[in-house]
C-alpha cells in the first residue's frame, strides 16, 4: 500500500516515471501506552482549545504559523500540495555522486519507489537498469510535510529506493567533541593490534544470533511472565567490565583470542605483532631538520573541520 500519493513522478531532466512511494522499513519494537496504575485505566491526551475550553475533533484541527503575537496564518493541506515548487509533485534528480562521498549521518529512512501502472513499467525498468550499472547514486530534491528535502536514490534488487537526507546544517560538527591529543607508539604496534582484532571480527553478512534484537526478546519474556503471574526471567551472568586499560597490547591480544573462540578456532586472522621496545630504543633520533618538518606538518594539519 502506498505511503502517500503526494508524488507522481521521478524526474530526470526530460524523463519522467509515474510512481508510488511505499515504506521500506517496519518497526517491530514493543509499544507501550500510559495507564493509571491504581486501576489500570488508559491515560489519553485530549486536544483542548484554549479559547473555548473544550475538546476538539481531529476534523477541527489544522496547521497554523504564528508570525507575530496573536497573529496566526492558517495553512491547509491543499496549500502545501500546491506550493510553487518543481519538487512539490515530483522527485527531481539533481546530480549523481559516489556513495562513499555521502556522510552516513545524513542518510535517513528509506522508501521504495514503485511504478504507477503499466505505462510507467518501461521507463522505471530503464532507470533501475541504468542506475544499477552506474557507479554512483542519484541525489534528488522533493517536498514533503511542509518543507523541501534532499534524498539519495539507489537500486535495491529490482526496485528504486529513496533515502531521506539531512541538509548539511542539520548535522552537528564534532569539533567540540575531539578527544585530547594522544601519540601512539612509533612502530604502530597498537594500530597493527587493532587491525588484527578487526580482522578476527570480519564477517560476510549481518545474520546470526549475536546480532539479533535481544532487547525485544527479553522484554517479550518479561511481559509474558507478568501476564501469567510467573517469576520474572533472571538476567544471565555477565563478566564484569574491566577498569582502566593499563596494557593496550595485552587487552588487544585478549580480545583477538575471544573473537577467535566465538567464531571457531580455525578462523584466519593476522597474528598480533610483538612489542618492539628494543627497536624503539635503537631508533635514531630525528635530525633537527626532520623534527622541524614534523612540527610544521602538525601546524598545517591542525585545522578544525568544517561543519558537515
Amino acid at each position: 500500500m502506498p505511503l502517500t500519493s503526494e508524488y507522481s513522478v521521478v524526474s530526470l531532466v526530460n524523463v519522467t516515471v509515474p510512481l508510488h512511494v511505499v515504506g521500506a522499513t517496519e518497526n517491530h519494537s514493543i509499544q507501550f501506552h500510559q495507564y493509571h496504575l491504581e486501576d489500570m485505566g488508559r491515560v489519553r491526551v485530549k486536544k483542548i482549545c484554549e479559547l473555548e475550553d473544550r475538546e476538539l475533533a481531529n476534523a477541527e484541527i489544522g496547521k497554523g504559523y504564528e508570525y507575530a503575537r496573536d497573529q496566526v496564518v492558517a495553512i491547509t493541506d491543499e496549500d502545501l500540495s500546491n506550493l510553487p515548487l518543481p519538487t512539490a509533485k515530483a522527485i527531481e534528480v539533481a546530480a549523481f555522486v559516489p556513495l562513499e562521498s555521502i556522510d552516513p549521518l545524513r542518510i535517513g529512512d528509506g522508501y521504495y519507489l514503485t511504478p504507477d501502472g503499466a505505462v510507467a513499467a518501461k521507463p522505471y525498468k530503464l532507470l533501475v537498469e541504468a542506475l544499477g550499472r552506474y557507479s554512483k547514486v542519484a541525489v534528488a530534491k522533493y517536498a514533503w510535510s511542509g518543507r523541501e528535502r534532499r534524498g539519495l536514490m539507489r537500486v535495491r534488487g529490482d526496485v528504486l529506493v529513496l533515502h531521506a537526507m539531512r541538509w548539511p546544517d542539520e548535522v552537528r560538527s564534532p569539533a567540540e567533541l575531539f578527544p585530547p591529543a594522544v601519540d601512539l607508539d612509533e612502530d604502530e604496534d597498537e594500530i597493527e593490534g587493532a587491525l588484527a582484532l578487526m580482522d578476527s571480527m570480519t564477517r560476510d553478512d549481518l545474520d546470526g544470533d549475536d546480532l539479533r534484537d535481544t532487547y525485544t526478546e527479553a522484554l517479550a519474556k518479561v511481559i509474558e511472565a507478568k501476564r501469567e503471574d510467573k517469576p520474572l526471567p533472571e538476567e544471565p551472568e555477565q563478566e564484569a567490565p574491566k577498569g582502566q586499560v593499563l596494557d593496550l597490547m595485552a587487552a588487544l591480544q585478549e580480545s583477538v583470542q575471544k573473537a577467535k573462540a566465538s567464531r571457531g578456532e580455525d578462523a584466519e586472522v593476522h597474528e598480533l605483532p610483538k612489542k618492539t621496545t628494543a627497536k624503539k630504543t635503537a631508533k635514531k633520533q630525528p635530525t633537527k631538520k626532520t623534527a622541524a618538518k614534523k612540527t610544521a606538518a602538525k601546524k598545517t594539519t591542525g585545522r578544525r573541520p568544517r561543519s558537515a
Side-chain angles (χ1 to χ4, degrees), residues 7 29 83-84 90 160 188 201 235 239 260 272 296:
Y7 306 109
S29 301
L83 286 174
L160 289 175
E188 297 192 341
M201 299 176 66
E235 181 183 357
E239 183 179 350
K260 291 175 64 176
L272 274 174

Side-chain angles (χ1 to χ4, degrees), residues 28-294:
H28 292 174
S29 301
I30 294 176
Q31 304 295 321
F32 294 103
H33 299 295
Q34 291 185 321
Y35 289 89
H36 181 201
L37 296 179
E38 185 174 335
D39 55 18
M40 297 311 292
R42 178 76 178 271
V43 177
R44 299 183 184 273
V45 177
K46 295 184 178 181
K47 299 177 180 179
I48 306 295
C49 174
E50 62 182 20
L51 298 179
E52 299 181 16
D53 194 24
R54 68 178 181 87
E55 185 177 358
L56 302 179
N58 287 334
E60 300 178 87
I61 301 173
K63 299 180 180 69
Y65 177 76
E66 182 179 356
Y67 69 93
R69 185 174 180 82
D70 298 330
Q71 291 182 316
V72 179
V73 176
I75 302 295
T76 66
D77 291 338
E78 184 179 0
D79 294 331
L80 296 176
S81 64
N82 292 324
L83 286 174
L85 292 172
T87 55
K89 290 290 186 181
I91 300 171
E92 293 274 353
V93 176
F96 293 89
V97 300
L99 178 59
E100 58 271 17
S101 70
I102 299 177
D103 187 341
L105 278 176
R106 296 181 59 186
I107 301 176
D109 293 338
Y111 302 90
Y112 290 130
L113 306 179
T114 62
D116 184 10
V119 176
K122 186 171 183 179
Y124 180 89
K125 184 65 175 178
L126 173 64
L127 187 54
V128 169
E129 287 290 333
L131 193 55
R133 296 183 189 182
Y134 203 40
S135 60
K136 297 177 176 62
V137 295
V139 175
K141 292 202 306 181
Y142 59 97
W144 196 353
S145 301
R147 58 173 296 189
E148 191 169 58
R149 300 171 184 267
R150 184 181 292 181
L152 180 153
M153 190 185 303
R154 66 181 181 89
V155 173
R156 185 174 191 264
D158 294 325
V159 180
L160 289 175
V161 178
L162 176 70
H163 290 276
M165 287 183 64
R166 297 175 181 87
W167 293 101
D169 60 355
E170 293 178 321
V171 179
R172 292 176 56 196
S173 169
E176 67 272 16
L177 307 177
F178 283 169
V182 175
D183 289 330
L184 296 177
D185 291 340
E186 290 186 8
D187 57 6
E188 297 192 341
D189 283 349
E190 284 82 0
I191 295 178
E192 290 296 328
L195 291 175
L197 175 58
M198 294 177 186
D199 194 22
S200 67
M201 299 176 66
T202 299
R203 57 199 305 162
D204 296 327
D205 55 56
L206 297 180
D207 299 325
D209 289 341
D210 55 333
L211 292 177
R212 72 182 190 278
D213 183 7
T214 54
Y215 177 86
T216 299
E217 292 177 3
L219 186 56
K221 291 178 181 178
V222 169
I223 293 174
E224 185 66 18
K226 299 196 75 169
R227 187 180 71 87
E228 298 181 356
D229 199 20
K230 293 181 178 180
L232 297 180
E234 296 182 358
E235 181 183 357
E237 291 186 6
Q238 297 181 353
E239 183 179 350
K242 296 182 178 179
Q244 183 180 4
V245 178
L246 299 179
D247 190 333
L248 187 55
M249 284 299 296
L252 287 168
Q253 180 72 59
E254 184 179 355
S255 297
V256 169
Q257 295 304 324
K258 285 184 177 180
K260 291 175 64 176
S262 64
R263 300 285 303 277
E265 290 299 328
D266 58 343
E268 295 183 1
V269 297
H270 297 308
E271 293 297 328
L272 274 174
K274 296 181 180 179
K275 271 200 168 182
T276 53
T277 52
K279 187 193 299 184
K280 292 177 192 173
T281 306
K283 281 186 175 180
K284 294 181 179 180
Q285 293 296 326
T287 62
K288 291 183 179 180
K289 185 180 292 186
T290 306
K293 283 184 178 180
K294 287 185 177 180

